[in-house]
Amino acid sequence: MFKKIIMSVMLLAALLLAACSESQSDKEVVKDGYQSLMEADSFDATFDLDVNVDADVQDPFIEPYIQMINDMELSMDMVADNEKQIQETVVHFEGTLSPMTISMDLPMYQNLKEEKMYIQTDSLVENLGMFMPLPEDAKGKLIEVDMADVEGMEEEEMDIDELTEQVQSIVNDFIDEKSEDDFTEEDGTYIVTFTKDDLANLVGKIASEVDDTITDEELQEGIDEINTALEDIDLNKFEIHMTMDGDQVKSQKFVLDVGFEAEGNAVQLELTADTVYNSINEDVEFTINPEDSEIMPMEEFEQLMMGGMEY
């Protein structure tokens, strides 16, 4: 009997040790969550942006723009197949600059491999008609944008796989270097707190990883410049909130609260960017199919716009 009790205690101890070894710190949960997100083959997500500006401004010309920013609604439905390098985004925007109100749903389809973007014209025609009368026959088509010809884009072909690996490396290294004290958990939500130094260092990491022509001296000069600019900013809150569903990210929220001066006026900016992942690594469907649509080159659409302005 005594021998069985000893064996039972030893077995219980072994199970407890195994359970402890499998438990993760808050930092490890966040790191693994980002890693799984970066490696996802596909996802379906919804993004919401909320911005609030509180400024001590008495200028009647500026006040309507501040009110427009505070009242605007901006969200996106996003679907991506990372293996095929295809993304589809529907931007939902509603804003009012009295007396005009714009309510727009703008679907866009992007083929990263072919460096092509396609934009549905229907909402553009309906909402830009008040500024530049576009003909009704422009509706029902896709505007084709050659991303290689867009100003500011690199002429050389972008290696998406290499860029993804760079981003993964930056995120992993950045999280690794943060203290365990910067990671907390509240009711199933993991919170990562960032400082001004974190901001400067993150920008530096991105610059050094993406552009290997930057010297260590140039990199340090850039970081010093960022730190100098941040001295005039009150960083009240800079956090990322993450919730998990098993080993997958369910949602992540970017929270920013800063104060600064603009032309002698005190400005308080609060920004929340919330992304909810409806599915990860599951089959996704796209509503836009360029192969079965009537394509309008960007140049042709620009001509229609110019013609509308002349009209």
Side-chain angles (χ1 to χ4, degrees):
M1 177 66 71
F2 182 75
K3 188 175 181 179
K4 288 184 177 180
I5 293 175
I6 294 296
M7 291 297 295
S8 298
V9 171
M10 292 177 64
L11 180 59
L12 178 60
L15 291 173
L16 289 174
L17 286 172
C20 291
S21 66
E22 291 175 359
S23 64
Q24 293 179 296
S25 67
D26 297 337
K27 179 177 178 178
E28 289 172 331
V29 171
V30 172
K31 181 181 177 180
D32 289 350
Y34 271 110
Q35 184 71 24
S36 65
L37 194 57
M38 291 293 181
E39 296 175 349
D41 294 330
S42 63
F43 68 82
D44 180 326
T46 302
F47 170 86
D48 286 284
L49 178 66
D50 182 59
V51 180
N52 185 72
V53 178
D54 186 5
D56 185 17
V57 177
Q58 305 300 323
D59 190 333
F61 177 77
I62 297 178
E63 287 179 349
Y65 290 94
I66 295 177
Q67 191 63 44
M68 178 190 68
I69 292 174
N70 292 340
D71 293 341
M72 75 173 182
E73 296 181 7
L74 177 63
S75 64
M76 291 185 287
D77 295 324
M78 302 176 293
V79 178
D81 186 326
N82 294 326
E83 290 189 322
K84 296 180 180 179
Q85 297 184 17
I86 295 175
Q87 300 175 357
E88 184 176 286
T89 303
V90 182
V91 179
H92 308 283
F93 174 81
E94 184 170 332
T96 299
L97 184 61
S98 186
M100 297 180 297
T101 296
I102 295 179
S103 180
M104 180 182 298
D105 294 327
L106 187 62
M108 297 180 290
Y109 178 98
Q110 191 172 358
N111 189 319
L112 299 176
K113 185 179 296 184
E114 297 181 358
E115 295 186 308
K116 299 286 187 181
M117 177 184 292
Y118 300 89
I119 306 171
Q120 281 191 349
T121 59
D122 295 34
S123 190
L124 290 175
V125 174
E126 293 170 0
N127 287 278
L128 295 182
M130 66 182 72
F131 305 108
M132 51 196 72
L134 297 171
E136 285 293 316
D137 58 6
K139 296 178 66 174
K141 299 179 181 179
L142 293 180
I143 303 171
E144 183 182 69
V145 181
D146 191 337
M147 297 171 60
D149 294 338
V150 175
E151 185 178 355
M153 290 286 185
E154 295 291 339
E155 293 183 1
E156 58 183 350
E157 185 177 352
M158 181 183 297
D159 190 328
I160 300 300
D161 293 334
E162 181 180 349
L163 182 61
T164 300
E165 291 179 2
Q166 288 177 329
V167 171
Q168 290 176 356
S169 175
I170 292 170
V171 172
N172 289 337
D173 291 347
F174 187 61
I175 292 177
D176 269 340
E177 293 174 4
K178 288 187 65 62
S179 168
E180 291 278 359
D181 296 335
D182 295 331
F183 298 79
T184 56
E185 186 268 334
E186 297 178 7
D187 299 327
T189 298
Y190 296 87
I191 302 173
V192 190
T193 303
F194 298 89
T195 64
K196 290 182 180 180
D197 288 340
D198 288 333
L199 279 175
N201 291 332
L202 179 58
V203 173
K205 284 183 178 296
I206 293 173
S208 62
E209 286 286 339
V210 175
D211 188 351
D212 55 11
T213 65
I214 297 178
T215 65
D216 293 340
E217 183 179 355
E218 291 173 334
L219 179 60
Q220 188 58 51
E221 288 179 358
I223 293 176
D224 291 341
E225 290 177 1
I226 296 171
N227 282 324
T228 300
L230 290 173
E231 288 178 359
D232 298 328
I233 296 177
D234 295 325
L235 186 60
N236 302 315
K237 182 182 291 187
F238 179 28
E239 298 176 344
I240 290 180
H241 298 196
M242 177 186 291
T243 61
M244 303 292 296
D245 182 8
D247 59 352
Q248 294 285 359
V249 177
K250 181 61 179 176
S251 68
Q252 58 177 341
K253 182 186 298 183
F254 174 89
V255 181
L256 179 66
D257 183 350
V258 297
F260 55 92
E261 282 197 3
E263 298 184 358
N265 298 309
V267 179
Q268 195 70 31
L269 171 65
E270 297 177 1
L271 184 149
T272 301
D274 192 6
T275 303
V276 176
Y277 292 90
N278 306 310
S279 69
I280 296 178
N281 290 330
E282 297 181 9
D283 292 338
V284 293
E285 294 183 0
F286 298 96
T287 61
I288 297 176
N289 185 354
E291 294 182 358
D292 293 337
S293 303
E294 187 174 354
I295 304 299
M296 175 185 292
M298 186 64 185
E299 295 78 8
E300 181 179 341
F301 183 72
E302 290 175 345
Q303 290 175 1
L304 288 176
M305 293 177 65
M306 295 300 295
M309 293 177 66
E310 293 174 359
Y311 175 83

